[in-house]
């Protein structure tokens, strides 16, 4: 389900971010490289927000870890506030195309959509 830019709790920074960057997800069918890059950024954000716990071992494999739960709206909102504050500090302006920041913000939108974070 796509999150609508006007949905979600008032004052939540994810609402404005979704309004600005959610439309970039529509480029996925035409840009396989974009999908891969956004997937890597989404994994990095998720790993920063969701603690890892030991996972059951599979035969023939060593120890591994997996995320302990889902990305929470509150945690992602805090992440976005910190990230956008940093972008303001460095006087970042959105380029044509994609750079690290636009990929990261697009990845946050992917997480918003995949975890349905503006619907709750």
């Amino acid at each position: 389900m796509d999150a609508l830019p006007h949905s979600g709790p008032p004052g939540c920074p994810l609402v404005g971010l979704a309004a600005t960057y959610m439309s970039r997800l529509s480029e996925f069918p035409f840009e396989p490289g974009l999908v891969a890059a956004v997937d890597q950024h989404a994994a990095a954000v998720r790993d920063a927000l969701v603690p890892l716990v030991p996972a059951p071992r599979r035969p023939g494999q060593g120890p591994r870890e997996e995320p302990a739960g889902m990305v929470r709206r509150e945690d992602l909102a805090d992440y976005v506030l910190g990230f956008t504050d940093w972008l303001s500090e460095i006087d970042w302006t959105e380029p044509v195309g994609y750079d690290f920041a636009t990929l990261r913000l697009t990845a946050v939108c992917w997480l918003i959509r995949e975890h349905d974070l503006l619907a709750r």
Side-chain angles (χ1 to χ4, degrees):
M1 166 188 240
D2 286 332
L4 298 174
H6 59 277
S7 64
C12 178
L14 301 180
V15 174
L17 183 75
T20 304
Y21 290 95
M22 190 68 74
S23 63
R24 289 182 178 253
L25 299 180
S26 66
E27 298 173 31
F28 279 12
F30 311 106
E31 298 286 343
L34 175 61
V35 175
V38 168
D39 183 60
Q40 288 179 337
H41 279 269
V45 172
R46 184 182 56 247
D47 290 350
L49 299 178
V50 180
L52 296 176
V53 296
R57 282 189 174 185
R58 293 183 183 151
Q61 291 185 339
R64 64 185 185 97
E65 295 181 324
E66 63 186 23
M70 292 182 48
V71 173
R72 295 172 359 126
R73 180 179 58 223
E74 296 81 10
D75 296 335
L76 193 57
D78 287 344
Y79 178 88
V80 165
L81 286 174
F83 189 72
T84 55
D85 282 350
W86 174 73
L87 292 176
S88 294
E89 288 173 13
I90 65 168
D91 293 325
W92 177 79
T93 56
E94 185 176 349
V96 173
Y98 289 89
D99 64 354
F100 178 88
T102 54
L103 288 169
R104 188 57 57 111
L105 295 169
T106 303
V108 168
C109 286
W110 184 86
L111 289 167
I112 291 168
R113 184 185 72 184
E114 291 305 302
H115 294 280
D116 205 16
L117 296 178
L118 294 183
R120 307 187 248 149

